[in-house]
Amino acid sequence: MTKLIITGSKGQMGQMLIACAARNPDLQVVGQIDQGDNLADVIAKGDVVIDFSFHSVTPDVAALCAQHKKALVIGTTGHSEADKAAIRLHQTVIPMVWASNYSTGVNTLFWLTRKAAEILGPGFDLEVVEMHHRLKKDAPSGTATTLLEILADVRKVQLEQALRHGRKGITGERTSSEIGIHALRGGDVVGDHTVMFSGKGERVELIHKASSRETFANGALRAAQWVVGRKPGIYDMQDVLGLK
């Protein structure tokens, strides 16, 4: 049985993780941590920590996991470059699954996006559109950022230079090198992502729509079971699903 500690346990994803874990006889939640709680008080009880707290908290969570040699699954997004660097410091000590999205469908979208970008080539313009609920704090979403990184990698461009966040005013003609991102917020949308490849006379769209957080929770739980006992390092859901 895999023993879990969940940080951000009172949030929407935290509550879904607890509910989904309760239906799996191979999982046991031994710690529920949120604001005002101390992870250090319970970390010895768990095999793995699943972090869905807040981006500024993750480096401290990773440091404590490294100190106690506990595996870590990171579901929090919106990390700064400093946050990411602090987390990576511990990859030689503990195994971590670090993914922007734990859905099987979204990870299939990542794979398809790379293949489509490779096949269609530079003659197609690239745009990503994402929509989430009105309470989401970061934009663009972590999933959209991963899609953008995939597109930039295939095109062999620096993402920060190629990226265009929406458009306003007299922007001039679209350049062939830019990659557009558009973040929409409203209502209770769980998560919609569209990757658009627009060429002359045709357009290809890859779309994923999530209707329940349960798909993300089950993916994160699958990652938690998979990562326990792995060699130290940073893994993602492509590793967990065997897509690499």
Side-chain angles (χ1 to χ4, degrees), residues 78 130 136-142 145 165 181 183-185:
E130 59 101 338
K136 186 169 178 60
K137 296 180 175 64
D138 59 312
S141 68
T145 298
H165 289 271
I181 174 63
L184 312 180
R185 296 290 178 267

Side-chain angles (χ1 to χ4, degrees), residues 90-160:
H90 308 294
Q91 64 182 305
T92 60
V93 181
I94 58 171
M96 296 182 274
V97 178
W98 193 355
S100 60
N101 194 302
Y102 285 87
S103 156
T104 301
V106 162
N107 280 275
T108 303
L109 175 64
F110 292 156
W111 189 88
L112 290 170
T113 295
R114 180 174 296 278
K115 292 301 178 184
E118 291 172 349
I119 293 168
L120 296 173
F124 283 72
D125 296 325
L126 308 175
E127 300 280 324
V128 175
V129 181
E130 59 101 338
M131 183 170 185
H132 284 80
H133 54 90
R134 65 191 305 275
L135 300 178
K136 186 169 178 60
K137 296 180 175 64
D138 59 312
S141 68
T143 301
T145 298
T146 299
L147 291 167
L148 295 167
E149 290 170 347
I150 291 169
L151 295 172
D153 182 58
V154 173
R155 288 286 176 90
K156 300 187 185 314
V157 297
Q158 293 294 320
L159 182 57
E160 288 305 315

